[in-house]
């Protein structure tokens, strides 16, 4: 067995060589944390390289993801399906070794990291999911869910505010199987952090309620081993292990400096480092005895086999629980899910009551919640406003580890990244609520959910100026447009209770990405529909009201503005203008429909189109075309009752009908015919009923 330092040096060498070959990357952190990683991966981490998805594996998160070559070297050396050619191909197009770890690209990578601090929050979510799943399924004598979450983080991660949000909540909840290893090397990109980061980190984490160990020598394997062993025995508290390290350890002239952080060392420095650490081998060569020392395949298979024996004993004792655990870890929905949803939508449609869509969202939770024990979520201190709590909600706490409702506190960013971690762990469908305006605080976590294509549901209420008196600081204007621009983010803005229920169904069923649900504070009228039109809601856009005769114009609307469009269409029909109303609760879902369906809803021959949404207008040009018009909002709002705001900003049936007539005039004028006359009601400046 090679000495432990040589095992760690294999990581250092691969990191140096890969970064040098790529001509970019971050060699300093892998070289500094190699000794810590060697101890964790060889002495503590329960994992099986042959099956990276083994459900009861320990989770490892590299929050300081710029040091990705540390992770890739560990995966390669321990036996994952990550060949040396991929190490050579570091940071190249379509490689399995991208610049920062990416979930879904590399076997063994549990989450995408790089934006600092988010990996810590993801790890909090994973640890929370493990504990809740254990509470749901473990029984006396049968611990089928029993694993830890380890996370590496650096100074940058702890400077980011999200680390405070997530770690504070982790301490309050007492997530005892969460172990954070802090790479305390005192260096960031700009140099020595003493000029801008002098926090008493240990005191900070003790204040959170964590178990803390200070001053661990990160280059002494015995000290690291003892610290990790103590951390694992810390009981019902998460644990912080503060390891003093030297960034770029082994680089003869650059170790301990920012010069090793984010750039290749150069051939001369690498040659000197090889000599300093006693690694005489050529680039990308690892001796057989080093591979043997790292190989975790046999040990990992043995650990998984032992777990599978426990599962079989569990299945014999609790067959229904075992089946349910497996279903949830696969991410499958209950067998009767479709029937439940169809029954619920039918019931909501028959009820035919006007209701704020945030209330309709809560009603949807009441309908689907009993069928979905995997549903877990909460709000960022807005439970009573977001209405994210339903009658079956049980608060998550130290005393109730199986709780399905999380009081996240005022932590929008942390909440969203924790939800991502819960989704990544498996066994749960997480949802997280706040005002739509405050999706801005969480934006990068939303982007990460979309990038990773994970099933998370983000519940955003108070979706426009319609929230009223709280004013422009709280009134969403550009947020819906921003979310729609995010690749792989599905966005729904329903117009009533029926659409709200369908939106929730879509969000739960979607397995290849997150969904944002945008709900109103104000009451929205129920819209009558046939069964066929109810079925078409799931297609993202559909004809809610068609022209009685010839089709002259189309009004496209979402959310609270759909009823305004319906009123305008009725007025126009009374004056002989054939007007179709298209409700488009989800532009991305509509865009994904086949061209035949999209043409049927928005026929290209009808160029007189008006889009109506109380928000930014930019997106709607592609739907209304050059002859169309948009009733929207490209300024910030005002503080006033919502009805006054809608009147002030032109979100009235009268104004929408006027825009339709203007679009028709432009269209017909362009064709050489006379403009359409304004309706008598509009000419008198009367409100349209």
């Amino acid at each position: 067995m090679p000495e432990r330092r040589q095992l760690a040096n294999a990581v250092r060498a691969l990191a140096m060589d890969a970064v040098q070959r790529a001509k970019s990357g971050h060699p300093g952190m892998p070289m500094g944390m190699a000794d810590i990683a060697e101890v964790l991966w060889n002495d503590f981490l329960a994992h099986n390289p042959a099956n990276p998805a083994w459900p009861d594996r320990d989770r490892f998160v590299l929050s300081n993801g710029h040091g990705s070559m540390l992770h890739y070297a560990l995966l390669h050396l321990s036996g994952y399906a990550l060949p040396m050619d991929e190490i050579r191909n570091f940071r190249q197009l379509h490689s399995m070794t991208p610049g920062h770890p990416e979930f879904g690209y590399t076997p063994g990578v549990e989450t995408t990291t790089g934006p600092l601090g988010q990996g810590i929050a993801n790890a909090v979510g994973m640890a929370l999911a493990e504990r809740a799943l254990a509470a749901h399924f473990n029984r006396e004598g049968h611990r089928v869910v029993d694993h830890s979450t380890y996370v590496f983080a650096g100074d940058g991660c702890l400077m980011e505010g999200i680390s405070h949000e997530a770690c504070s909540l982790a301490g309050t909840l007492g997530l005892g199987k969460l172990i954070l290893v802090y790479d305390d090397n005192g260096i960031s990109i700009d140099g020595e952090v003493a000029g801008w980061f002098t926090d008493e980190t240990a005191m900070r984490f003790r204040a959170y309620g964590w178990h803390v160990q200070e001053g661990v020598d990160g280059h002494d394997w015995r000290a690291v081993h003892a610290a990790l062993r103590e951390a694992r025995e810390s009981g019902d508290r998460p644990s912080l292990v503060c390891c003093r390290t030297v960034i770029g350890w082994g680089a003869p002239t650059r170790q301990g400096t920012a010069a090793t952080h984010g750039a290749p060392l150069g051939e001369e420095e690498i040659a000197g480092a090889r000599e300093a650490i006693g690694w005489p081998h050529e680039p990308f060569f690892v001796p057989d005895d080093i591979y043997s020392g790292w190989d975790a395949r046999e040990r990992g298979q043995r650990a998984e086999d032992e777990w599978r024996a426990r599962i079989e004993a569990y299945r014999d004792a609790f067959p229904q629980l075992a089946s349910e655990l497996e279903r949830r870890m696969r991410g499958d929905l209950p067998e009767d899910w479709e029937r439940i949803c169809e029954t619920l939508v039918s019931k909501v449609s028959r009820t035919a009551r006007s209701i704020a869509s945030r209330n309709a969202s809560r009603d949807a939770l009441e309908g689907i919640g009993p069928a979905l024990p995997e549903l877990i979520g909460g709000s960022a201190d807005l439970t009573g406003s977001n209405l994210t709590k339903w009658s079956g909600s049980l608060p998550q706490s130290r005393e109730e580890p199986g709780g399905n409702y999380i009081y996240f506190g005022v932590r929008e960013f942390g909440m969203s990244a924790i939800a991502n971690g819960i989704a990544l762990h498996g066994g749960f469908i997480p949802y997280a609520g706040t005002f739509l305006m405050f999706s801005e605080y969480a934006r990068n976590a939303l982007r990460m959910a979309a990038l990773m294509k994970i099933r998370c549901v983000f519940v955003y209420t108070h979706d426009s100026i319609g929230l009223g008196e709280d004013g422009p600081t709280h009134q969403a204007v550009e947020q819906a447009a921003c979310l729609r621009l995010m690749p792989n983010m599905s966005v729904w803005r329903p117009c009533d209770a029926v659409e709200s229920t369908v939106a929730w169904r879509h969000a739960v069923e979607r397995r290849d990405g997150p969904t944002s649900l945008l709900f109103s504070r104000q009451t929205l009228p129920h819209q009558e529909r046939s069964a066929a039109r109810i079925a078409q809601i799931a297609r993202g856009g559909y004809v809610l009201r068609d022209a009685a005769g010839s089709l002259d114009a189309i009004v496209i609307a979402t959310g609270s503005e759909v009823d305004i469009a319906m009123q305008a269409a009725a007025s126009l029909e009374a004056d002989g203008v054939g007007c179709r109303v298209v409700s488009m609760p989800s532009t991305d879902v509509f865009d994904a429909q086949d061209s035949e369906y999209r043409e049927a809803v928005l026929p290209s021959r009808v160029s007189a189109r008006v889009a109506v949404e109380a928000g930014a207008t930019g997106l709607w040009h592609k739907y209304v075309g050059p002859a169309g018009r948009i009733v929207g909002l490209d300024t910030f709002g005002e503080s006033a009752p919502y009805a006054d705001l809608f009147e002030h900003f032109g979100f009235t049936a009268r104004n929408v009908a006027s825009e339709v007539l203007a679009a028709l005039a432009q269209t017909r004028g362009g064709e050489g015919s006379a403009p359409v006359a304004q309706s008598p009601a509009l000419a008198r400046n009367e409100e349209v009923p």
Side-chain angles (χ1 to χ4, degrees), residues 108-182:
V109 169
E110 302 282 3
T111 181
T112 300
T113 57
L116 294 176
Q118 283 196 68
I120 295 175
N122 294 165
V124 170
M126 293 174 188
L128 192 157
E130 188 276 342
R131 191 178 70 168
L133 204 67
H136 290 185
F137 289 100
N138 287 352
R139 296 295 182 269
E140 186 175 353
H142 296 273
R143 296 189 62 82
V144 292
V145 180
D146 187 12
H147 52 268
S148 298
T149 302
Y150 297 93
V151 54
F152 281 5
D155 292 298
C157 291
L158 297 187
M159 286 186 234
E160 289 285 1
I162 191 174
S163 70
H164 164 73
E165 295 183 25
C167 294
S168 171
L169 185 60
T172 297
L173 295 178
L175 300 178
K177 289 187 177 179
L178 173 64
I179 298 173
L180 169 58
V181 179
Y182 167 35

Side-chain angles (χ1 to χ4, degrees), residues 12 123 150 179 215 226 256 279 289 394 409 487 624 683:
R12 293 185 170 98
Y150 297 93
I179 298 173
W279 189 264
D289 63 331
L394 178 67
V624 301

Side-chain angles (χ1 to χ4, degrees), residues 544-565:
L544 178 61
R545 181 195 193 280
D546 214 350
S550 64
L551 178 55
D552 301 314
I554 300 173
V555 180
I556 309 165
T558 78
S560 51
E561 292 74 70
V562 167
D563 190 61
I564 296 171

Side-chain angles (χ1 to χ4, degrees), residues 339-359:
R339 178 193 61 79
I340 290 167
C341 290
E342 290 177 353
T343 301
L344 181 60
V345 171
S346 177
K347 177 183 176 182
V348 172
S349 181
R350 291 195 312 271
T351 303
R353 65 190 180 118
S354 297
I355 187 174
S357 57
R358 63 169 175 166
N359 294 77

Side-chain angles (χ1 to χ4, degrees), residues 235-413:
D236 63 351
R237 292 183 294 166
S239 188
L240 174 71
V241 181
C242 302
C243 291
R244 292 292 301 174
T245 65
V246 176
I247 190 171
W249 189 93
T253 68
R254 298 187 183 182
Q255 70 173 15
T257 72
T260 68
H261 174 88
L265 297 179
E267 298 291 352
E268 184 176 343
E269 187 76 6
I270 289 175
R274 276 184 152 76
E275 183 176 354
I277 67 177
W279 189 264
H281 313 292
E282 64 186 33
F284 301 105
F285 177 80
V286 177
D288 289 343
D289 63 331
I290 298 293
Y291 273 126
S292 296
W294 272 105
D295 194 343
R297 287 172 291 188
E298 183 178 341
R299 182 174 71 249
Q301 191 61 56
R302 186 166 59 249
E304 182 177 346
D305 289 345
E306 291 172 356
W307 175 78
R308 294 199 179 277
R310 297 201 305 274
I311 280 286
E312 289 308 311
Y314 181 71
R315 192 188 314 280
D316 290 341
F318 307 100
Q320 290 184 325
L321 280 175
S323 177
E324 177 69 1
L325 173 60
E326 290 168 349
R327 176 191 73 79
R328 286 174 55 173
M329 291 306 294
R330 288 194 306 269
D332 295 342
L333 294 172
E335 288 184 4
D336 59 348
W337 170 253
E338 186 172 350
R339 178 193 61 79
I340 290 167
C341 290
E342 290 177 353
T343 301
L344 181 60
V345 171
S346 177
K347 177 183 176 182
V348 172
S349 181
R350 291 195 312 271
T351 303
R353 65 190 180 118
S354 297
I355 187 174
S357 57
R358 63 169 175 166
N359 294 77
S361 170
R362 180 178 58 189
D363 290 348
L365 282 170
E366 290 285 355
I368 65 177
L372 286 177
E374 60 263 51
L375 197 63
I376 186 171
S379 168
D381 202 49
L382 287 169
T383 293
S385 293
N386 299 149
L387 304 183
T388 42
K389 189 176 181 183
W390 59 286
S391 61
S393 294
L394 178 67
Q396 169 71 215
S397 67
R398 286 175 182 264
E399 295 74 25
E400 290 288 353
N404 64 353
Y405 193 81
I406 305 167
Y407 287 101
F408 284 103
V410 188
R411 301 179 174 102
E412 295 87 356
F413 191 8

Side-chain angles (χ1 to χ4, degrees), residues 22-65:
K23 297 182 173 59
S24 72
H26 301 77
M29 187 280 269
M31 296 173 73
M33 293 197 79
D35 296 306
I36 303 168
E38 187 276 322
V39 174
L40 174 61
W41 279 60
N42 283 326
D43 294 356
F44 293 95
L45 194 71
H47 65 117
N48 183 5
N51 183 14
W54 165 35
D56 204 41
R57 68 194 180 277
D58 288 340
R59 271 57 170 181
F60 173 75
V61 174
L62 191 74
S63 188
N64 42 353

